[in-house]
Amino acid sequence: MAGLLDGVNQRTQLVGKNRLELLLFRVGAIRQRFAINVFKVREVIPCPKLKRVPDAHRNVVGIGNMRGQTIPVIDLASALGYRANQDIENGFVIITEFNRNVQGLLVSEVDRILNRNWEEILPPPKGAERGSYMTAITDFEGELIEIVDVEKVLEEVIGSIKDVSEEVREHVREGGDELRRVLVADDSLVARNQVKRALEQVGIESVLVRDGKEALDQLNAWAEEGTLKDQISLLISDIEMPEMDGYTLVAEIRNNPELKDLYVIMHSSLSGVFNNAMVEKVGADEFLPKFKADELAKAVLDKIQEHATHSDSN
């Protein structure tokens, strides 16, 4: 166990070609194993002494000082709808960075790191993701492993600013005939709805898909119908997605003569210099860490209106 915990931080520096590593764990008294992408894990530590916070969300068991930083700790068993962890002192905290925030996820047991290709990660059955806390599933040792939708957990516990500000809305050019339609690829239902809501507020239609493969299939279908630029303005893509991740999706787009000129914004809860470098390497045009409605809406508006201005000048 010590070797696993010591090595997690180093493993997060790995990135494969359409592959990922999953940290398997258990919550509360549940024997089923769950998973989270190692890439989002800073480290795993035995649960430190926690201090209760008055009026905190019911799933926040306290705050702890970890490497000089005060971090809220969420009881993942309770957050996923199971009985709350009854043995906090003997639990473990997975320290994660999502959507520009650092938080701890309290689990009862850390099991192992599992290496997988994204092709082995499948989306949940259609309709199953609504109301659930999984973004994807995989099989290991005959057991179904649920990959936790941490973004949904954080949305319920911490919340987010969902609306675009009046200041950004004022920059929407009225009466333009530019195409206001974008494709959004993200495996999290919460994230897809956040993006859709933000774009609707600045008059932009969004077509939503659950993963890179669905996105590529949709782009190819549009390309067969006619010129792609007449169908879609740009693509907003998550990085981590079942079947085909965002990096592979962009590489496929750039290698296809009919798709290669599509403007691509990578929009991910993964953040930092490393991801900017990877985005540049695979050929995406822009990287935005999740989730700020204003930032996303402005980036899309600027690109659409820039293209319209360029077209008018010609």
Side-chain angles (χ1 to χ4, degrees):
M1 177 62 71
L4 172 64
L5 302 188
D6 292 341
V8 165
N9 198 42
Q10 285 72 35
R11 302 292 283 277
T12 63
Q13 303 307 311
L14 299 176
V15 62
K17 294 183 178 179
N18 210 37
R19 72 179 181 86
L20 79 162
E21 290 180 311
L22 296 171
L23 178 65
L24 304 190
F25 57 86
R26 291 182 171 88
V27 299
I30 305 298
R31 296 315 300 163
Q32 175 187 348
R33 287 177 289 189
F34 297 86
I36 184 175
N37 191 339
V38 172
F39 207 46
K40 292 182 176 178
V41 177
R42 283 191 173 186
E43 61 181 324
V44 181
I45 61 173
C47 187
K49 187 174 182 179
L50 300 178
K51 181 179 179 181
R52 292 280 181 176
V53 179
D55 302 320
H57 189 278
R58 61 184 176 81
N59 292 330
V60 175
V61 291
I63 57 174
N65 191 300
M66 304 173 201
R67 303 194 186 281
Q69 185 175 7
T70 300
I71 297 175
V73 176
I74 299 167
D75 180 0
L76 199 51
S78 178
L80 297 180
Y82 300 104
R83 184 184 180 191
N85 196 318
Q86 302 298 304
D87 189 14
I88 294 176
E89 291 184 358
N90 291 314
F92 295 88
V93 175
I94 303 173
I95 301 176
T96 65
E97 184 172 0
F98 276 82
N99 301 356
R100 314 184 199 207
N101 294 313
V102 177
Q103 52 279 310
L105 305 176
L106 176 67
V107 300
S108 57
E109 179 184 332
V110 176
D111 185 67
R112 71 187 70 200
I113 290 175
L114 181 64
N115 193 297
R116 279 287 187 265
N117 290 321
W118 274 112
E119 291 94 335
E120 299 174 278
I121 308 298
L122 302 177
K126 286 191 179 293
E129 63 179 341
R130 188 172 298 276
S132 77
Y133 291 87
M134 61 178 168
T135 59
I137 56 176
T138 193
D139 180 86
F140 179 62
E141 295 180 340
E143 179 186 348
L144 191 67
I145 307 293
E146 293 186 13
I147 301 174
V148 176
D149 187 349
V150 180
E151 291 179 63
K152 180 175 181 178
V153 171
L154 297 182
E155 169 73 13
E156 295 180 355
V157 175
I158 299 174
S160 65
I161 299 174
K162 305 179 186 69
D163 293 324
V164 178
S165 68
E166 287 298 328
E167 181 181 357
V168 172
R169 295 189 206 192
E170 288 173 1
H171 289 283
V172 179
R173 189 169 74 175
E174 298 294 338
D177 58 358
E178 64 269 19
L179 181 63
R180 292 171 172 263
R181 189 188 197 200
V182 305
L183 179 63
V184 179
D186 200 300
D187 63 336
S188 169
L189 178 62
V190 166
R192 291 197 301 272
N193 287 336
Q194 285 175 335
V195 174
K196 179 182 179 182
R197 179 185 176 113
L199 295 182
E200 283 179 343
Q201 292 174 347
V202 290
I204 297 172
E205 177 190 355
S206 55
V207 178
L208 308 180
V209 295
R210 299 190 298 174
D211 56 59
K213 185 177 182 302
E214 285 189 9
L216 188 61
D217 288 346
Q218 180 63 75
L219 290 170
N220 284 325
W222 279 329
E224 288 179 5
E225 294 174 9
T227 307
L228 187 65
K229 67 179 181 180
D230 295 331
Q231 306 281 344
I232 203 79
S233 300
L234 56 86
L235 166 67
I236 301 171
S237 176
D238 189 18
I239 291 176
E240 303 175 283
M241 295 180 289
E243 296 200 86
M244 179 183 292
D245 68 12
Y247 295 137
T248 305
L249 171 61
V250 177
E252 292 284 340
I253 289 170
R254 296 302 180 231
N255 288 328
N256 186 325
E258 295 182 327
L259 308 178
K260 66 181 179 65
D261 295 326
L262 180 66
Y263 193 89
V264 179
I265 297 175
M266 301 296 274
H267 186 232
S268 175
S269 53
L270 302 171
S271 59
V273 175
F274 175 79
N275 292 292
N276 282 287
M278 278 302 299
V279 164
E280 183 177 348
K281 180 179 177 181
V282 299
D285 297 284
E286 191 171 351
F287 174 75
L288 290 177
K290 293 178 182 176
F291 176 79
K292 289 191 176 180
D294 274 8
E295 201 170 84
L296 179 65
K298 189 173 186 306
V300 175
L301 275 175
D302 287 350
K303 179 57 187 175
I304 289 176
Q305 294 178 351
E306 172 195 322
H307 182 265
T309 300
H310 178 73
S311 298
D312 292 345
S313 65
N314 291 336

